[in-house]
Structures are given as C-alpha cells and as structure tokens.
Amino acid sequence: MAPAENLKKRKIAVLGSRSVGKSSLVIQFIDNQFVESYYPTIESTFAKTVKYRGAEYDCEVIDTAGQDEFSIFNSKHAIGIHGYVLVYSVTSRSSFEMIQVVYDKIIDFCGVTDIPCVIVGSKVDLDSSRQVSTQEGEKLAQSYQGAFVETSAKTNLNVGKVFEYCLAEIEKRAPNSQTGEPQQSRCLVM
Ligand SMILES: Nc1nc2c(ncn2[C@@H]2O[C@H](COP(=O)(O)OP(=O)(O)OP(=O)(O)O)[C@@H](O)[C@H]2O)c(=O)[nH]1
C-alpha cells in the first residue's frame, strides 16, 4: 500500500431522492453487506482506499440525506467535492426526475457547464417493478457527459463500478493531480 502522503484524495458525494438506496450502495461498497431495514440518513461520511489504474485513492464518500424538489441545495455538497454519484431507483420515475433537479442545482451553484458524475439506476433486482428503462438512464448520463451504471446493492451488482467510474470521471477532468482541484474552485465570488 502507498504511504498516506502518496494517496490521492478524492471526495465523492452521493445524492438523490429519499429511499433510492444511497446508504445501501455506500454500505455495500464500504462494508460488503446489505441491510434490508430502512433508516433515513441525516448525513454520514465513509472512507475507503481504492486502487484504480495502478494508483491508490483515499476516497471520502459522503452519504447525504435524500433530496426533494423543496430541499435547499446544501453548499457542503458542492464545495470541495471532486465527483458526484447521482442515484435514482429504476422502480421510481419521480426519483429519476429528481436527478435532473439535483444536477441543475449543482451546476448552478458551481457555475460550471458540467461536473464529474455517475448516474446510477439502483434496485435492478426489482426489475418487475421497473419504471425507468436502461436507455433513459443512458441517455440522461450522455447528456451530462457522465458515466452510467445500473446496480443492486442487494445482490452487489455493479456496486464497485459506481466508484470506479466516478474516479474515472474525476481523472478525465483533472488527470495526475494529487489533490484533484474540484471544479467549483474556479468560481469567483464577488
Ligand atoms: N430490493 C432492493 N432494495 C434495496 C436496494 N437498495 C436499497 N434497498 C432498500 O431500499 C430502502 C431504502 O434504502 P436506503 O439505502 O436507506 O435509501 P437512502 O437513499 O439512503 O434513503 P435516505 O437516507 O432516506 O435518503 C431500504 O429498505 C433498503 O433495504 C436494492 O438494491 N434492492
């Protein structure tokens, strides 16, 4: 393992509607377990060292309280964040629509044209209750120039990929940077 000072630090925020499975995704990624019961999150931060393309990354993952159209955008979810995991449930069209609201709020707040992001369609094990097609998810991610993946925290499908893709999106925009200056630091407050 690389000495701590050689680790690249990356801060990743996980956002999306309530109950779409953000915590389950993060807990499956960090602890390799799935919890069936539902406890609404206030906010939790997790740390994990991830190896990606031969480099080690010190990832801080922020699991946020679910958003809705009335939530006021929390500046904590933009300042110092390198990449975003935007989660909807494939069983909920309204959660898919909420991704677009959250994305626009981030873009607006940061004053940038795009952000490193992964669009995640969660709960694919519940395919018989699907309301959002894979193609719709892909199309949305393309329009954001981000990555797309469908997951199940329950069956541990593609959970690791979410964070791998997120690192890839961050690196695409800030290759070889030790701290990876987040995009919004280009904002100038006057
Ligand atoms: N079948 C299935 N259920 C899931 C999956 N992921 C999460 N759930 C369930 O969905 C419910 C909500 O999951 P959470 O991970 O707490 O959702 P959240 O987005 O963190 O919720 P908030 O904290 O309110 O924002 C829980 O009962 C989970 O067990 C999945 O991949 N498949």
Side-chain angles (χ1 to χ4, degrees):
M1 184 175 281
E5 67 271 18
N6 290 343
L7 290 178
K8 297 179 175 194
K9 291 187 191 305
R10 298 291 183 263
K11 214 167 174 177
I12 295 170
V14 182
L15 299 158
S17 297
R18 293 206 175 97
S19 192
V20 291
K22 298 181 295 300
S23 302
S24 303
L25 190 74
V26 174
I27 291 165
Q28 183 59 267
F29 177 60
I30 303 282
D31 285 341
N32 299 311
Q33 57 165 316
F34 176 71
V35 183
E36 197 81 50
S37 44
Y38 172 49
Y39 301 103
T41 307
I42 299 172
E43 183 161 305
S44 313
T45 301
F46 300 85
K48 183 165 173 154
T49 302
V50 178
K51 203 161 181 187
Y52 171 70
R53 292 200 160 184
E56 288 198 84
Y57 292 85
D58 181 8
C59 295
E60 191 177 322
V61 180
I62 303 166
D63 176 21
T64 66
Q67 293 84 46
D68 61 34
E69 61 269 45
F70 306 112
S71 315
I72 295 168
F73 186 71
N74 188 337
S75 58
K76 265 203 307 193
H77 301 152
I79 294 168
I81 303 293
H82 298 94
Y84 295 87
V85 171
L86 303 179
V87 187
Y88 66 91
S89 164
V90 299
T91 65
S92 160
R93 178 149 296 276
S94 63
S95 72
F96 183 64
E97 285 157 7
M98 190 51 55
I99 293 290
Q100 298 157 60
V101 174
V102 171
Y103 181 89
D104 288 346
K105 284 187 186 178
I106 301 168
I107 289 283
D108 238 37
F109 184 91
C110 296
V112 291
T113 50
D114 79 337
I115 47 170
C117 67
V118 185
I119 307 301
V120 177
S122 67
K123 306 193 187 182
V124 278
D125 57 288
L126 300 176
D127 201 51
S128 57
S129 317
R130 187 187 271 273
Q131 293 184 0
V132 184
S133 71
T134 303
Q135 291 72 16
E136 285 175 283
E138 273 169 354
K139 207 169 144 204
L140 184 68
Q142 266 169 22
S143 74
Y144 293 164
Q145 294 172 319
F148 172 71
V149 65
E150 285 188 338
T151 64
S152 167
K154 187 168 185 172
T155 66
N156 197 7
L157 178 76
N158 292 338
V159 172
K161 274 192 186 162
V162 169
F163 296 91
E164 215 177 276
Y165 288 177
C166 193
L167 287 175
E169 291 300 317
I170 296 167
E171 293 316 291
K172 238 166 57 181
R173 291 159 176 91
N176 305 321
S177 154
Q178 198 67 22
T179 57
E181 186 91 333
Q183 281 195 313
Q184 65 276 9
S185 58
R186 292 190 218 130
C187 297
L188 183 62
V189 180
M190 302 184 78

